[in-house]
Amino acid sequence: MSGSANPDQYLYKRSNSLIWQVRVKVPSELRSILGAHLQASLGTRNKGEANQKKRAVLAKMFDQIETTKKTLSQGDQIDDRRLMLMQFRKSVLNAAGSRDDIDTMTLAVHDQLEKQNISEEEGRYVFNRDDTEFLPAFEEWAEAQPSDKDTASRIRKAKRELIDFMGGSFFVEAITVKKAKDFLKSLSGAKSTKKTRQQILSRFWNHLVDEEIVEVNPWTGLRVESDKGSENHVRPFEDYELVKLYKELQHQPEHWRDLCIIAMVTGARLGNV
């Protein structure tokens, strides 16, 4: 490996924080799904310790990026179309100059989209200048939230799951009480996990109400139900929980650490391990 590599690459610190974070820029073609950056707190003020901790976090981030790339490369026309519509929307919103210049740009985009057989809903998304797009608004809000890495992980998951449910980029005005109910019903897992998603999105919509972007918060007062069949639904560990568990195991005797890791991977009972 070349000695010219930056040893502090991917380390990042917010202006109002002393804690080091890992921050990775997401390729442009994936930002509609993952956001502009992947980032996570390293929980330390010491740069040397941060550089040691960042390796495992970076490995997971790059794996997430590669997995998303593979998913998009499998001929998923919905994702390709979503990215195309986002680019056309940016062209419309960034149009500058005289009124004639802006009208010319808008007509050119309209002609291009007609060739793609756009639907009425897609046309509203591209040309609507008044409504607020979810992803950039949510990213800006999330960036300003004082949160630990566990909360940050939950915020990212709430964002991805809602985007997936809506089929791509959308306006916050599109989320009605019915849409919010349907989204919560679509989630699998424990009731507590669904409740967490509802709470995060409700906090964001409260922010939108405060900013007078929307008039009501559709997430308040909704009943969250557990999966059919059992109130004691067993869910898999989330990523941040596995990281926390592994950190605790590092302080245990070596044989116990190895046994627990084998058990986590295989699901085997202790006697069988």
Side-chain angles (χ1 to χ4, degrees):
M1 182 179 292
S2 171
S4 62
N6 178 7
D8 300 329
Q9 190 176 13
Y10 304 116
L11 285 186
Y12 165 76
K13 191 185 288 185
R14 291 179 180 174
S15 58
N16 61 346
S17 174
L18 298 176
I19 302 299
W20 286 104
Q21 294 189 339
V22 167
R23 187 177 189 180
V24 174
K25 190 174 182 179
V26 174
S28 59
E29 68 272 17
L30 305 181
R31 289 177 189 170
S32 64
I33 301 168
L34 301 178
H37 296 88
L38 295 179
Q39 61 188 59
S41 172
L42 294 170
T44 180
R45 302 182 182 189
N46 184 284
K47 184 182 283 189
E49 185 181 356
N51 270 313
Q52 290 181 340
K53 287 184 171 182
K54 76 179 183 183
R55 296 170 186 166
V57 180
L58 282 171
K60 291 173 66 176
M61 287 181 172
F62 287 128
D63 181 63
Q64 183 181 359
I65 288 172
E66 288 305 312
T67 300
T68 307
K69 278 184 180 178
K70 288 178 182 177
T71 301
L72 290 178
S73 68
Q74 293 172 354
D76 190 340
Q77 295 303 309
I78 295 177
D79 284 315
D80 290 343
R81 193 170 184 85
R82 182 192 315 173
L83 295 171
M84 175 196 71
L85 292 171
M86 287 189 71
Q87 291 302 317
F88 279 126
R89 174 167 168 77
K90 286 179 183 177
S91 297
V92 171
L93 294 180
N94 294 333
S98 66
R99 182 71 257 174
D100 287 343
D101 292 336
I102 295 174
D103 288 344
T104 299
M105 166 61 79
T106 303
L107 286 171
V109 170
H110 191 275
D111 288 343
Q112 289 293 321
L113 290 175
E114 273 196 336
K115 295 176 182 177
Q116 302 291 336
N117 296 318
I118 65 161
S119 66
E120 184 178 347
E121 184 178 349
E122 290 170 333
R124 281 199 302 271
Y125 169 72
V126 172
F127 296 109
N128 189 336
R129 293 175 176 270
D130 299 322
D131 288 349
T132 300
E133 196 172 350
F134 169 76
L135 184 57
F138 189 88
E139 291 282 2
E140 183 179 356
W141 170 81
E143 183 73 19
Q145 299 308 297
S147 60
D148 56 29
K149 60 184 177 182
D150 291 354
T151 304
S153 174
R154 296 185 187 107
I155 288 174
R156 288 194 299 272
K157 288 186 177 182
K159 173 191 70 177
R160 289 199 299 269
E161 288 166 352
L162 185 56
I163 288 176
D164 288 344
F165 172 78
M166 294 296 290
S169 300
F170 63 93
F171 297 123
V172 296
E173 290 83 358
I175 300 296
T176 60
V177 172
K178 184 179 185 308
K179 282 282 187 185
K181 285 180 179 178
D182 290 344
F183 168 72
L184 293 174
K185 287 180 181 178
S186 74
L187 296 176
S188 60
K191 183 176 181 178
S192 59
T193 302
K194 299 180 182 183
K195 192 70 177 174
T196 298
R197 300 296 188 264
Q198 180 196 22
Q199 290 169 347
I200 289 169
L201 293 168
S202 184
R203 282 167 51 200
F204 171 61
W205 253 263
N206 279 336
H207 159 73
L208 297 177
V209 171
D210 291 342
E211 294 293 319
E212 299 184 351
I213 293 172
V214 298
E215 294 183 359
V216 296
N217 182 345
W219 302 94
T220 57
L222 296 184
R223 181 179 176 182
V224 179
E225 299 178 355
S226 61
D227 283 348
K228 252 185 175 181
S230 174
E231 283 288 335
N232 299 317
H233 179 83
V234 178
R235 64 172 176 82
F237 284 121
E238 296 199 28
D239 292 345
Y240 73 89
E241 292 172 319
L242 287 172
V243 171
K244 185 183 292 186
L245 177 59
Y246 183 71
K247 283 183 177 178
E248 290 299 320
L249 290 176
Q250 289 179 320
H251 304 300
Q252 304 303 317
E254 186 174 350
H255 64 284
W256 276 112
R257 185 177 68 234
D258 293 343
L259 287 172
C260 288
I261 292 173
I262 293 171
M264 281 195 293
V265 173
T266 64
R269 294 178 180 273
L270 184 59
N272 293 332
V273 173

